[in-house]
Amino acid sequence: MSYLKHRIYGIIFSLFKNSQVKDNMISFIIDSNESFRGNLDYIKREFEKRGNFEFHFFYKDRISISAFKLLASSKYVFLNDNFFPLAFMKFNPQTIVVQLWHAPGAFKKFGGSSDLNSREILKKASENTDFLIVSSKNIEDFYSEAFQISKDKIKPLGLPRSDYYFENHDIAKFKSEFFKKYGINGDKRIILYAPTFRDEERFNNVFDYLDLEKFNESLGDEYILALRLHPKIKKFYSDEISSEGKYVDCSDYPSEQELMLISDILITDYSSIMIEFAMLSKPVVFFTYDYDSYLTKERGFYFDFKSTVPGPIVYDSQALIDVIKNEEFNESRMSEFVKTQFDEIDGQSSNRVVDFLLNHGG
C-alpha cells in the first residue's frame, strides 16, 4: 500500500525537522472528537505537578503548519491510538515519542496480531516510537506482535487512566445524578451491558438475542439495565437498536469510567471493557450468544476465552438471568485474571510513567 496521505504528513513534518526542541514542550496526538483521551489527561496532570510545561494538542485529522512546527519542537510526544503518519515522521533524536494505547491489558487480538497487512506500516511507526507503555510484563509479547515493536521499548508501568479509580469520588452522588438524568425511580442496582461491535451485522442488534421482557420480569424489581453500545454499532448498523422492554441507553454518557464506578454488574461479550471492570473486583457475565461465529470469523484472542475470562459464560437469556439471580460469580477466577493484566493496581501509574521519562527515558 502507498499510504499517500500518511506520506504527505511525513513530508510536511520534514520541513520542520531542524526545529529546536524545547525541553518543556509536550504534544499529544489526538483526533478531533478527542476520543481515547483518558491516558493523555492523566499524563498531562502529572506533568503539571512537575514544573512549567507547555502542552500542545496535535489533531491528526487537521493539517496545520503551526501544529506541525510545535510537534517537531516537542520534547515529549504522546499517542493513545495508532497514527500511521508516524511511520514517515523522523523526529529529532532529543524528542521522546511514547505510545500509551487506550485499551487496558490484552485479550482480543488487535493490530499486527490480527491484521497481517498492517504489519509493515506498524513496524515503521514503531521504529519512530521510543516507548510503548503497558500494564503488565505478562502481556509484553502480545503488544510486541500487535505493534511490531521491539520488546526493549515496552515498559510495564501501568495504565494511566486507571488512576481515576483511586481519586475521592462521591459514588452515591454519581448514581443519584444518573437516576435523575434517566428518570429512574427507587434505589435500584445497575447492570451495565456493554456489547462489542461485530463485523457480522446481524449479531449487532443485541435485543434480537436478549429477551428484555423476560429479563425485566425476573430482575427488574432489583436492577436497571444500562446499555452502552460500541460507537460503531450506532454508526454502521442500519436498523434501530430497539425493544419493547425498559432499559436505559447510556451510549452517549460522557464518562465510561463513571458508569463502571456506579454499576454493580457488567454484562459484556468480547469487549476489553471487562479488563478495566475486573480491576474493580465486581462481577462480570459474558453473554456470548454468537460464540461459534465470533470465534471462527472475527479476530480471535490472545488467551483461551472459555478458560480465562473472569466470570460465567452464557449463551441465552435464561442462562443470563439465572446467573445474575443466583449470583453465580467466580471470585477466584476474577483475581487470577486481574493478575495476568496488571502488575500494580495502586493509583500510581501516571506517576511511574512520568518518573521514568524524566529520570530515565529522557
Side-chain angles (χ1 to χ4, degrees), residues 143 210 254 321:
Y143 273 74
L210 172 60
I321 292 166

Side-chain angles (χ1 to χ4, degrees), residues 56-186:
H56 163 237
F57 286 91
F58 179 93
Y59 290 94
K60 56 188 180 183
D61 46 359
R62 302 177 193 169
I63 293 183
S64 163
I65 298 302
S66 60
F68 276 98
K69 187 174 182 179
L70 286 169
L71 186 65
S73 63
S74 296
K75 174 65 176 179
Y76 299 101
V77 174
F78 289 94
L79 303 97
N80 205 24
D81 198 12
N82 279 325
F83 181 54
F84 287 158
L86 184 62
F88 308 101
M89 299 166 74
K90 297 296 182 183
F91 282 85
N92 188 304
Q94 296 177 51
T95 297
I96 307 298
V97 180
V98 184
Q99 171 64 262
L100 297 170
W101 197 239
H102 57 274
F107 196 78
K108 190 163 54 175
K109 289 184 177 180
F110 68 101
S113 297
S114 59
D115 180 8
L116 300 184
N117 294 326
S118 69
R119 287 189 170 188
E120 180 184 351
I121 194 165
L122 283 167
K123 185 175 182 181
K124 287 182 178 179
S126 292
E127 288 170 356
N128 295 331
T129 302
D130 293 288
F131 301 112
L132 167 61
I133 308 301
V134 300
S135 58
S136 172
K137 288 184 69 66
N138 297 322
I139 60 176
E140 287 182 0
D141 288 340
F142 306 138
Y143 273 74
S144 178
E145 180 183 67
F147 284 93
Q148 294 293 291
I149 192 170
S150 170
K151 277 186 68 175
D152 62 3
K153 291 184 175 183
I154 301 177
K155 306 299 174 184
L157 301 172
L159 180 72
R161 63 176 262 147
S162 69
D163 295 348
Y164 170 86
Y165 300 110
F166 293 84
E167 295 171 354
N168 187 23
H169 299 293
D170 188 339
I171 299 175
K173 182 181 178 183
F174 285 166
K175 194 167 184 178
S176 174
E177 290 172 349
F178 177 85
F179 281 8
K180 184 177 180 180
K181 177 180 175 68
Y182 294 107
I184 302 168
N185 295 319

